[in-house]
């Protein structure tokens, strides 16, 4: 399950997460198998469970996101832990950043495997290549797309991978499948980004694999940009600002 859909399981976990009577605190150095099985039964993928900075709470890492569970396994918390004695340091976001940095380094190399599937708007005088995980229903994705001529004019090639934020059951997913399956992908993308209806078509495609790669990279929203060195830049940037960010990385 993607990190975007994990939250949908929170209420079910709070109501129904019951584990065996053995003490979770007593197994701090090993994964509690009963808890893992319960989480997996709710289609929540667990990467790791460890002690959190707060006594009585344990930290669950699930596909780049962090949740906290009570010692008895009954309550799941979704939120940030702040260290009030250390300048309100957000311990949760710091840990998430560490996880994403590691995940990005590991998974960014896999982007190359998707190059043949990208929808590319190539700059005539190409100097830089930026990979954009995009959702056709996202307002800032639409804004970025409307300014592709500006990016291209500065020598920035924009190449798209699909990241329908609502997952495989969303209208955006179905639209993006139609875009990737269209005879003229760029024309279909142009229409979809203008919020115009496009012909619904299907074919052998890997839109879901593109989405899953984005999840593995820690993407939580769109657009998310990746520079050639693997730097992740969440959110829309005007062409001049993007060029400045790229050149500052040199």
């Amino acid at each position: 399950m993607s990190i975007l859909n994990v939250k949908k399981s929170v209420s079910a976990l709070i109501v129904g997460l019951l584990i065996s009577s053995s003490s979770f605190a007593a197994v701090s150095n090993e994964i509690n198998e009963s808890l893992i099985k319960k989480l997996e039964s709710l289609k929540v993928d667990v990467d790791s469970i460890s002690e959190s900075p707060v006594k009585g709470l344990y930290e669950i890492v699930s596909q780049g996101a962090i949740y906290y569970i009570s010692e008895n396994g009954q309550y799941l918390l979704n939120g940030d832990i702040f260290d009030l004695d250390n300048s309100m340091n957000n311990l949760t976001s710091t840990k998430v950043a560490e996880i994403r940095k590691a995940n990005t380094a590991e998974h960014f190399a896999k982007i190359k495997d998707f190059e043949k599937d990208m929808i590319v708007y190539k700059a005539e005088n190409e100097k830089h290549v930026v990979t954009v995980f995009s959702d056709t229903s996202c307002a800032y994705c639409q804004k970025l797309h409307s300014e592709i001529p500006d990016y291209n004019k500065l020598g920035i090639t924009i190449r798209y991978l699909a990241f329908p934020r609502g997952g495989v059951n969303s209208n955006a997913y179905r639209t993006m499948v139609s875009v990737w399956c269209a005879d003229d992908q760029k024309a279909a993308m142009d229409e979809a980004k203008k919020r115009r209806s496009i012909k619904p078509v299907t074919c052998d495609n890997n839109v879901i694999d593109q989405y899953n790669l984005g999840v593995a990279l820690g993407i939580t929203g769109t657009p998310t940009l990746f520079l050639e060195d693997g730097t992740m830049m969440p959110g829309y940037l005007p062409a001049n600002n993007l060029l400045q960010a790229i050149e500052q990385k040199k």
Side-chain angles (χ1 to χ4, degrees):
M1 176 181 289
S2 75
I3 55 177
L4 300 177
N5 291 326
V6 167
K7 292 180 182 178
K8 296 178 182 178
S9 297
V10 170
S11 59
L13 281 166
I14 293 175
V15 172
L17 186 56
L18 299 174
I19 61 174
S20 65
S21 58
S22 59
S23 172
F24 184 55
V27 288
S28 59
N29 294 323
E30 61 186 53
I31 295 175
N32 186 297
E33 293 183 3
S34 179
L35 178 58
I36 290 291
K37 288 178 181 178
K38 185 62 179 182
L39 290 165
E40 289 180 345
S41 74
L42 294 166
K43 302 187 184 303
V44 177
D45 298 323
V46 177
D47 298 327
S48 67
I49 300 177
S50 60
E51 294 182 359
S52 82
V54 179
K55 185 177 181 181
L57 285 182
Y58 290 82
E59 179 184 280
I60 297 172
V61 177
S62 176
Q63 297 188 350
I66 291 179
Y67 304 91
Y68 301 99
I69 194 166
S70 60
E71 185 172 330
N72 65 0
Q74 185 176 359
Y75 301 105
L76 185 79
L77 307 179
N78 176 30
D80 293 344
I81 293 177
F82 293 87
D83 187 343
L84 301 183
D85 291 338
N86 287 286
S87 304
M88 283 284 288
N89 182 25
N90 189 326
L91 301 179
T92 305
S93 65
T94 298
K95 181 65 177 288
V96 168
E98 293 172 358
I99 293 169
R100 288 181 180 170
K101 184 176 180 180
N103 284 346
T104 299
E106 176 184 352
H107 293 287
F108 180 72
K110 297 179 183 177
I111 283 182
K112 194 169 186 64
D113 297 336
F114 289 84
E115 286 183 344
K116 67 183 184 304
D117 305 299
M118 295 177 180
I119 299 176
V120 181
Y121 291 78
K122 185 175 175 60
E124 185 175 345
N125 183 28
E126 183 180 276
K127 299 175 183 177
H128 310 287
V129 176
V130 174
T131 303
V132 181
F133 282 82
S134 187
D135 181 329
T136 51
S137 68
C138 153
Y140 277 104
C141 297
Q142 293 162 4
K143 182 171 177 59
L144 185 153
H145 189 77
S146 70
E147 297 173 9
I148 279 183
D150 297 333
Y151 298 105
N152 287 169
K153 194 179 297 182
L154 294 178
I156 302 171
T157 288
I158 298 293
R159 56 186 197 176
Y160 283 127
L161 287 173
F163 193 83
R165 295 164 297 168
V168 297
N169 295 318
S170 65
N171 288 330
Y173 172 78
R174 290 184 284 273
T175 297
M176 299 190 87
V177 166
S178 294
V179 169
W180 258 261
C181 291
D183 292 334
D184 188 335
Q185 293 178 322
K186 290 172 73 173
M189 179 69 81
D190 293 344
E191 291 297 290
K193 288 290 179 71
K194 292 175 183 176
R195 290 188 177 271
R196 295 174 181 169
S197 297
I198 62 172
K199 180 181 178 181
V201 292
T202 59
C203 63
D204 288 334
N205 68 87
N206 66 353
V207 169
I208 186 59
D209 297 316
Q210 296 176 42
Y211 170 77
N212 287 336
L213 175 61
V215 170
L217 284 164
I219 294 174
T220 57
T222 53
T224 295
L225 288 60
F226 282 89
L227 307 186
E228 291 170 278
D229 67 352
T231 298
M232 180 169 71
M233 305 183 69
Y236 156 82
L237 280 176
N240 286 325
N241 292 24
L242 178 57
L243 179 63
Q244 183 180 12
I246 292 171
E247 291 181 341
Q248 286 177 348
K249 298 294 294 182
K250 290 182 178 180

